[in-house]
Amino acid sequence: MSVGLPERDVGIITFVNGMGFVCFSQLKRRFDREVSRRRLGDLCRRGYLRYDRIFFQGEGIYRATAAGVKAAGHFLRPLKTVNLSTYRHDLLVVDLSLLLEETTGGSWISERVLKRRLVRGRREPLPDGLLTWPDREVAVELELSVKPFTRLARILRSYTRSAYDEVWYVTGRAQLGRRLEGLLAELPFVRLANWEGGSLRWVTSSLN
């Protein structure tokens, strides 16, 4: 349970900690009028959030603190460090989650939350996020790098042993999309999309 925090502050801290870290533009997109730089600054001054500028030319990011997690009653520990090797990917996953929630009406469960569930017996493999509705759930993978074909095939086929209803593989490169298209004939539950210009372009799918 939260400790004397307004509901909107609890929502902000919970969202930030669930994702690990987010930037201001993402918070504005998620919460609209409930978020302002002044409000976030206040949460930082009170020790509930921390602000870091990772790269000089990029947006700064917000993370929840131990005090913020406790005050919001969130079940995940705060993210202690930012992995620079996955920094761009992790921020883009937040953008993708917001886009998918807005366009599909589903609810996003982050990888951080899924990892906690995995400890309690959550099935594998572990996607970048899970998009859920009352009657189904879809594993979502954001792929930015061109992996060896055999590795891509192994990752995708691992989903045949899972209970996810579908897998949505989102890429930012046409070259990678072409590599993946050849695998879909054997994987009827996988959909492939290119992420271009702020919207998803579905390349191919064996779903009817």
Side-chain angles (χ1 to χ4, degrees):
M1 296 179 61
S2 62
V3 183
L5 283 179
E7 183 176 349
R8 58 187 173 184
D9 290 345
V10 171
I12 291 168
I13 295 170
T14 298
F15 175 72
V16 170
N17 198 49
M19 292 296 186
F21 59 87
V22 302
C23 59
F24 177 72
S25 61
Q26 293 166 334
L27 284 165
K28 283 295 291 183
R29 184 171 175 180
R30 179 67 169 78
F31 294 98
D32 194 19
R33 292 184 177 87
E34 295 180 8
V35 164
S36 65
R37 294 192 185 276
R38 181 177 180 180
R39 172 166 293 280
L40 295 175
D42 181 60
L43 288 173
C44 289
R45 284 189 294 274
R46 294 163 66 188
Y48 296 140
L49 293 178
R50 64 171 292 171
Y51 177 82
D52 295 296
R53 195 67 174 263
I54 304 299
F55 295 107
F56 177 74
Q57 293 183 330
E59 280 193 83
I61 59 170
Y62 293 91
R63 283 185 280 161
T65 65
V69 168
K70 181 178 180 180
H74 199 231
F75 61 91
L76 285 178
R77 293 179 180 179
L79 186 69
K80 291 184 178 180
T81 59
V82 176
N83 187 339
L84 295 183
S85 66
T86 62
Y87 178 79
R88 177 173 175 267
H89 174 274
D90 294 343
L91 272 183
L92 286 174
V93 166
V94 180
D95 286 331
L96 179 61
S97 74
L98 294 170
L99 173 64
L100 289 174
E101 284 189 331
E102 292 164 0
T103 57
T104 71
S107 298
W108 182 266
I109 302 175
S110 70
E111 183 183 13
R112 271 171 55 78
V113 173
L114 291 174
K115 282 181 178 178
R116 174 66 176 268
R117 291 185 178 186
L118 182 62
V119 174
R120 299 179 177 181
R122 180 69 192 184
R123 59 181 175 264
E124 294 183 297
L126 188 67
D128 288 320
L130 194 65
L131 198 59
T132 70
W133 297 265
D135 59 342
R136 66 181 177 134
E137 50 186 31
V138 172
V140 180
E141 293 277 7
L142 174 61
E143 192 63 70
L144 301 177
S145 60
V146 179
K147 292 184 173 68
F149 184 85
T150 53
R151 185 179 176 193
L152 285 172
R154 186 170 62 252
I155 292 171
L156 284 171
R157 286 177 181 137
S158 69
Y159 280 105
T160 63
R161 299 186 297 273
S162 75
Y164 300 120
D165 295 294
E166 296 176 22
V167 178
W168 292 357
Y169 228 85
V170 180
T171 76
R173 297 184 180 184
Q175 179 185 0
L176 179 57
R178 287 193 295 272
R179 275 177 169 247
L180 289 170
E181 282 186 65
L183 298 173
L184 295 189
E186 303 174 31
L187 302 167
F189 54 89
V190 179
R191 301 183 69 188
L192 174 64
N194 284 341
W195 190 9
E196 301 172 346
S199 61
L200 294 180
R201 182 176 65 85
W202 294 101
V203 178
T204 185
S205 173
S206 52
L207 297 170
N208 294 323

